[in-house]
Amino acid sequence: MRVHTIVLVSAAVLLAGCSSSSSGGDGDGGARTSPPVSSASPSGTAGARGEPRTVAADLEVPWAVAFLPGGDALVTERDSGRVVRVSPSGRKTAAGTVPGVEASGEGGLLGVAVSPTYASDHLVYLYYTAATDNRVARATYDGRLGTPEPIITGIPKGSNHNGGRLAFGPDKMLYVTTGETGDGPLAQDRNSLAGKILRVTPDGKPAPGNPFGNRVWTYGHRNVQGLAWDDRGRLYATEFGQNRFDEINLIQKGKNYGWPQAEGDEGGAGFTKPLLTWTTDEASPSGLAYAGGSLWAAALRGERLWQVPLDDGRAGRPVAHFQDRFGRLRAVAEAPDGTLWVTTSNRDGRGDPASDDDRVLSVPAN
């Protein structure tokens, strides 16, 4: 049983690259600032925040959160294949179970996104691991989940590094993160869907303006599980490294982010360096949100919520919140009321669950 303390612990911000375990995407991360133009000195600090409120408890590996127009959220459960509707008051309602989900390792029911035109089309989008591949499907939801219709199939699957985050951008296109399934060279193959950030239309086709004429937006990724846009429309992504460094990247059209030739700041000709890196014992960053002028990254092995202040696209000094209080943190999303909803991931086979895990927590963002 996990004992939740009320002490926030300082975290060192190291001048080095980005992270995760050698076996897969849920390793660790440490933190150091390494912007493209200048680097901050080592100095991670812990910050006091308002006390988190438990919105919902007793969930089974909640992986993603997406809000409906009325303020309720759809929450995916990785291993069960269920979608649960959660209200701000904590009411949980079964939305439906996605057929064909085959959960094993890090695969299962992963990302969820709500259509930007939900008021008229009532569509939600789901990323899940099936028998032979990872895929993206869309389904109607109007109190009950309709039959999912696959719109992207053939994304390589593996026991780990399955990616899985879905998010609609300011351009109303759907962005999809994938992992390289432990097969590093796939990340550099622009004809493979593995190890990429994809950009597609709402029906799954390559989006207009994509750099290579297919679904690929950026490549050279190991395992991306977080996406967020700032108020200027810049896109950021979290990425699991291998043995040393985890990353936050500023995502730009057509760029190569280096994996497997480069990890963290190793760089090299033609590779885009990360905006920020952590060592592997402080992060393993999954979900990502933008709120109140900062990026917020949920850390799995690091067991903390990282706040990264932004200044015109540059990362400031990261601040660690709630270290070792709630265990592994997976998803983070901004709620309509401006708070952050953060999910624990202590029942995923790598955590130490408390009696009420897994939970959705509400955290002030200001």
Side-chain angles (χ1 to χ4, degrees):
M1 183 74 64
R2 180 177 302 281
V3 177
H4 298 313
T5 65
I6 59 172
V7 179
L8 297 177
V9 184
S10 296
V13 181
L14 306 176
L15 287 176
C18 151
S19 86
S20 162
S21 72
S22 59
S23 61
D26 289 359
D28 355 356
R32 76 166 176 116
T33 309
S34 178
V37 178
S38 62
S39 296
S41 58
S43 56
T45 58
R49 299 204 61 70
E51 185 64 15
R53 174 178 68 90
T54 296
V55 178
D58 301 314
L59 294 162
E60 296 184 25
V61 195
W63 206 94
V65 176
F67 286 91
L68 295 163
D72 287 4
L74 297 179
V75 179
T76 57
E77 291 185 326
R78 187 190 72 182
D79 293 354
S80 71
R82 293 189 299 246
V83 181
V84 180
R85 181 170 179 162
V86 178
S87 72
S89 66
R91 183 170 181 264
K92 294 188 299 183
T93 307
T97 299
V98 178
V101 172
E102 294 208 0
S104 63
E106 294 175 6
L109 180 57
L110 305 178
V112 61
V114 173
S115 168
T117 53
Y118 179 85
S120 59
D121 60 31
H122 293 272
L123 288 173
V124 298
Y125 292 75
L126 300 154
Y127 185 115
Y128 65 95
T129 308
T132 60
D133 58 1
N134 287 305
R135 50 185 56 190
V136 178
R138 64 182 178 185
T140 57
Y141 176 73
D142 195 359
R144 174 177 293 185
L145 191 69
T147 301
E149 168 202 5
I151 60 170
I152 305 175
T153 59
I155 302 170
K157 62 173 279 190
S159 61
N160 54 24
H161 304 187
N162 289 289
R165 196 66 60 185
L166 298 177
F168 278 95
D171 57 2
K172 305 297 173 45
M173 296 295 110
L174 179 64
Y175 290 74
V176 182
T177 76
T178 71
E180 36 77 298
T181 69
D183 186 353
L186 290 179
Q188 288 295 318
D189 181 355
R190 296 195 307 228
N191 293 312
S192 171
L193 296 178
K196 308 295 187 297
I197 295 176
L198 310 177
R199 177 176 175 263
V200 300
T201 64
D203 59 2
K205 301 295 191 297
N210 280 6
F212 311 116
N214 57 14
R215 294 182 172 108
V216 173
W217 186 246
T218 57
Y219 65 109
H221 298 291
R222 185 170 183 265
N223 191 25
V224 175
Q225 288 188 3
L227 292 173
W229 286 263
D230 67 15
D231 51 14
R232 297 286 301 275
R234 289 173 289 226
L235 174 59
Y236 305 85
T238 55
E239 183 162 348
F240 297 101
Q242 186 166 14
N243 296 316
R244 295 182 297 158
F245 303 122
D246 293 327
E247 305 172 3
I248 288 181
N249 286 297
L250 175 62
I251 300 300
Q252 296 174 301
K253 175 182 177 178
K255 296 292 188 180
N256 181 353
Y257 289 82
W259 183 257
Q261 282 80 11
E263 180 181 359
D265 270 348
E266 292 172 334
F271 298 151
T272 301
K273 289 188 176 183
L275 186 71
L276 172 79
T277 63
W278 287 277
T279 59
T280 56
D281 59 344
E282 289 182 308
S284 191
S286 184
L288 187 68
Y290 175 81
S294 294
L295 292 170
W296 303 84
L300 289 162
R301 184 173 166 187
E303 298 192 354
R304 68 202 77 176
L305 179 66
W306 280 107
Q307 178 185 3
V308 181
L310 292 179
D311 181 7
D312 196 24
R314 297 190 182 195
R317 180 177 300 175
V319 180
H321 300 289
F322 315 122
Q323 183 175 340
D324 299 326
R325 282 199 59 187
F326 302 108
R328 294 162 59 80
L329 303 180
R330 170 78 65 179
V332 56
E334 185 183 18
D337 65 2
T339 63
L340 298 170
W341 282 25
V342 180
T343 71
T344 68
S345 191
N346 294 316
R347 296 191 178 276
D348 62 6
R350 292 172 174 170
D352 180 17
S355 59
D356 55 354
D357 276 330
D358 278 314
R359 290 179 283 169
V360 176
L361 305 169
S362 177
V363 177
N366 296 309

